[in-house]
Amino acid sequence: MPDAARLALTSVPTTKPKLHLSGDPAADQLLSEDPLALLIGMVLDQQVPLEWAFSGPFHLMQRLDDRLDASGIAEMPEEALIAAFAARPALHRYPASMAKRVQALARHLVDEYGGDAAMIWTTANTGKQLFDRVRALPGFGQQKARIFVALLGKQFGVHADGWIEVASPFGHHGTHLSVADIDSPEALALVREHKREMKAAARKAAPAKAPAKKAPAKTRAPAKKAPAKKAPAKTPPRKAPAKGAPARKAAPAKAPAKKAPAKKAPAKKAPAKKAPAKKAPAKKTPATRAAARKAGASA
C-alpha cells in the first residue's frame, strides 16, 4: 500500500462518532456506522426538512429486507426501488426522482469503488482529491460536496491534506453553518437559526421589484368596410333525367333573333258618308185598294 494511502487510512478514527441529524437514535446510529447510509442521507437532504432526509436511509433499509447494499440497490428494477421510496410514509417529497438518484449513486459506487462507499475517503491522498471524488457522485453539487468533506473532517476525523481549504467556509471550526457542525441537539438549533438568518438577509438584499407599468391602451382605427360583393345569380338546378331514359344532350344556345324593322301601318281613310236610302213606294194589295176606294167614296 502506498504511503499516502496508508496516511489517509490512519487519519480515520477507529471509533465511530455519534451523529445527531435525524432526531431518531436508531437512524442516527445507522448514519454513524454505515458510509452508504450517510451518503444516501446527504443525497436526500434537499427540499425537505433535515430530519426527514437523514431518517430516510434507515426506513429504506427496513423496506429492503433490513439490508442496505450498494450492489443490491444498483441491480434492483427501477420500479421496485421507486415503490420502496413512495410507500407511506414517503422517504422524500419527490420519491421517484430521488429513487433514481440513489440508484445512480449505488451504480457509481459499484463501478468506481467496488460498492464500498468508505473507499471514497479512506483512500483519498489529498483534500483536493477527496473533494473531486465527492463532487463526482450523483446528487452532489459544489456546495454539498464541500459540506460533506467538512462533515468527514469535523466528525469522522478524515483530515486529508488541505481538506479545510477545499471545504471552506464549512470546514472552519467554531461555526454552525451546516450539517457538518451538528454534533448535538443544541448545535442543530444553532444551525437552523443560522439558515433562517441567511434566508432573511437574502430576501433583504434582493432588489424590490417595481410595479410593472401598464402600457397605454392602443386605440384601434375603425375598420374599413369592404364593399359588399354581389352574390352570383343562382341558376335553377337542372332536373336529372328519369332513370332508364337516355340523357338528352343540352341544345346549343341559340343566338338572339334579330328584330325586323317595324313597318308603318297605312293611314286609315275616313268612311264615306252614305246618302239616306229612299224608301220604295209600298205596293198596294187588292185589299188596300178596296179600302182606299171606300175611303174616297165616303168623302
Side-chain angles (χ1 to χ4, degrees):
M1 180 182 298
D3 292 340
R6 184 178 295 108
L7 287 174
L9 286 171
T10 56
S11 66
V12 180
T14 55
T15 58
K16 300 293 182 182
K18 186 176 181 180
L19 299 178
H20 298 270
L21 302 179
S22 70
D24 180 354
D28 283 335
Q29 183 177 355
L30 179 66
L31 296 170
S32 303
E33 297 176 353
D34 190 336
L36 177 58
L38 185 62
L39 285 175
I40 293 175
M42 285 297 298
V43 170
L44 299 181
D45 187 20
Q46 180 178 341
Q47 296 179 307
V48 294
L50 185 144
E51 293 89 347
W52 187 0
F54 282 99
S55 63
F58 179 75
H59 296 300
L60 179 61
M61 182 186 69
Q62 291 180 320
R63 297 174 188 184
L64 298 181
D65 299 327
D66 290 328
R67 186 177 178 216
L68 210 57
D69 175 65
S71 299
I73 294 175
E75 295 172 2
M76 280 184 68
E78 183 180 279
E79 295 78 9
L81 187 59
I82 291 175
F85 267 77
R88 295 185 179 182
L91 302 186
H92 197 273
R93 182 176 297 168
Y94 306 105
S97 62
M98 285 301 169
K100 294 176 183 178
R101 193 167 294 178
V102 168
Q103 189 166 52
L105 171 68
R107 288 171 178 169
H108 182 85
L109 294 175
V110 171
D111 294 339
E112 299 295 329
Y113 305 100
D116 186 358
M119 287 186 66
I120 296 173
W121 52 88
T122 58
T123 60
N125 297 324
T126 64
K128 176 66 167 57
Q129 184 183 29
L130 174 58
F131 172 80
D132 291 340
R133 288 181 176 185
V134 176
R135 179 66 181 84
L137 296 173
F140 281 76
Q142 189 86 1
Q143 179 166 302
K144 186 172 286 191
R146 296 183 189 279
I147 292 174
F148 190 69
V149 171
L151 174 63
L152 293 174
K154 288 183 175 182
Q155 303 206 42
F156 287 84
V158 180
H159 296 158
D161 187 29
W163 73 272
I164 294 178
E165 289 75 17
V166 298
S168 179
F170 306 102
H172 300 293
H173 292 283
T175 62
H176 293 90
L177 306 178
S178 68
V179 296
D181 302 308
I182 301 175
D183 54 6
S184 66
E186 293 76 18
L188 173 60
L190 292 174
V191 170
R192 287 196 185 283
E193 181 62 27
H194 170 75
K195 289 186 175 182
R196 281 194 292 266
E197 291 174 358
M198 292 295 292
K199 289 180 180 179
R203 284 193 296 267
K204 289 182 180 179
K209 291 183 179 180
K213 294 182 179 179
K214 292 184 179 179
K218 293 182 180 180
T219 56
R220 294 183 178 179
K224 294 182 179 179
K225 293 184 178 180
K229 294 183 179 179
K230 293 183 178 180
K234 294 183 179 179
T235 56
R238 295 182 180 178
K239 293 183 179 180
K243 292 183 179 180
R248 293 182 180 178
K249 293 184 180 179
K254 293 182 180 179
K258 294 182 179 179
K259 292 182 179 180
K263 293 181 181 181
K264 292 182 180 180
K268 292 182 180 180
K269 292 181 180 181
K273 292 181 179 181
K274 292 182 180 181
K278 290 182 180 181
K279 292 183 180 180
K283 291 181 178 182
K284 292 180 179 181
T285 61
T288 58
R289 285 175 184 172
R293 280 194 299 268
K294 286 180 178 182
S298 63

